[in-house]
Amino acid sequence: MEIKSAKFVISNTRIDKCPQDGKPEYAFIGRSNVGKSSLINMLTRKPKLAMTSATPGKTMLINHFIINDAWYLVDLPGYGYAQRGKKAKDKLTQIIETYILEREQMTNLFVLIDIRHEPLAIDLEFIEWLGENGVPFSIVFTKADKLGTQRQRENVERYLAKLREQWEELPPHFVTSSEKGVGRAELLGYIDEINSSLFRVESLELRV
Ligand code: GDP
C-alpha cells in the first residue's frame, strides 16, 4: 500500500468524541519511549506527524490520523510511566481500556515492544489482558537496528517462547526499525490485507 495522504484529525480522551464515520482504525500502543511516535512517522513518511517523546502533552490523549482518506491510524497514550502519580495512571488506564474494549472501529491493535528488552511483566500482563478480552492484536518489535541480525532473531524467539507459555496460538509479529525503514512494507501490507477483507465483507453485506 502506498500512503498518499496522512493528516492529523483530532486528539481527545473520550471515544464518543472520536471520529464517527465508521472507517477502520489501527491503533498503536506501548510503553513510553518504545519508539511509537518514530514508527508512526516512519510508516507515514512524515517526520513530524506524531510527537516524539521530547514533546510532552499529547501523551495522555488518543490521537487520530486519517490515512488515504480511508482508514485511521490511532496513536494511543503510552503505558508504564514510572513518574506519574496513581490518579494520573488510573485515568490513563481508563482512557486506554475504554478505547480498546469499546471502540468498535478498532480493527487491530499493534503492541510495540523494544526488541532489546527481555520480556517485561508490564507488557506481558497487558498482552494477557488483550487475549482475555478477545482484542485483535499484533506485536511490533521496534529499534531492530540497535541489534545485529542474530541477536534480533534470538530476542524475537525468546519473546515468542515466553508468549507460548500462555498461548497456543501466537499473534502475528513484525520486526521494525524506524531509523532504517525496516518492516514498513510488511506492516502496511498487513493493514492493506485487513482493509481489503473488510471491504469484501461490506460489499457482501450490501448485496444481501
Ligand atoms: P515513544 O515515546 O514511544 O513515542 O518513542 P519515540 O518515538 O519518541 O522514541 C524514543 C527514543 O527512541 C527516541 O530517542 C528515538 O529517536 C529512539 N528511537 C525510536 N525508534 C528507533 C529506531 O527504530 N531506531 C533507533 N536507533 N532509535 C529509535
Side-chain angles (χ1 to χ4, degrees), residues 59-175:
T59 50
M60 291 281 284
L61 300 169
I62 302 170
N63 302 299
H64 274 72
F65 302 93
I66 182 88
I67 312 294
N68 294 348
D69 290 322
W71 55 277
Y72 288 101
L73 191 160
V74 180
D75 183 7
L76 291 177
Y79 54 80
Y81 288 93
Q83 65 278 53
R84 286 193 202 274
K86 180 167 181 339
K87 231 178 165 185
K89 264 191 205 161
D90 288 352
K91 172 99 181 105
L92 199 57
T93 307
Q94 189 238 330
I95 294 171
I96 294 172
E97 289 191 1
T98 308
Y99 175 85
I100 292 175
L101 296 180
E102 294 180 19
R103 184 72 174 163
E104 284 173 19
Q105 295 91 325
M106 201 208 60
T107 307
N108 190 71
L109 179 66
F110 292 103
V111 181
L112 275 55
I113 304 286
D114 189 322
I115 197 167
R116 295 170 299 169
H117 299 164
E118 53 185 271
L120 298 173
I122 187 168
D123 292 321
L124 295 171
E125 280 160 18
F126 180 68
I127 290 170
E128 194 174 337
W129 178 81
L130 292 177
E132 281 165 7
N133 286 286
V135 178
F137 72 98
S138 326
I139 304 234
V140 178
F141 294 100
T142 61
K143 308 189 188 182
D145 60 282
K146 295 211 180 218
L147 297 178
T149 327
Q150 175 68 13
R151 279 298 301 279
Q152 286 179 25
R153 222 177 291 134
E154 283 167 13
N155 283 13
V156 167
E157 212 24 71
R158 176 178 64 180
Y159 211 94
L160 298 181
K162 188 79 193 161
L163 292 181
R164 258 187 228 108
E165 290 174 10
Q166 290 276 345
W167 308 105
E168 264 177 43
E169 224 179 294
L170 293 180
H173 71 273
F174 302 88
V175 174

Side-chain angles (χ1 to χ4, degrees), residues 31-39 51-54 81 112 142-146 176-180:
R31 288 186 338 123
S32 56
N33 225 32
V34 70
K36 182 165 51 74
S37 314
S38 305
L39 183 75
M51 307 283 181
T52 53
S53 306
Y81 288 93
L112 275 55
T142 61
K143 308 189 188 182
D145 60 282
K146 295 211 180 218
T176 67
S177 159
S178 301
E179 198 88 343
K180 307 267 182 219

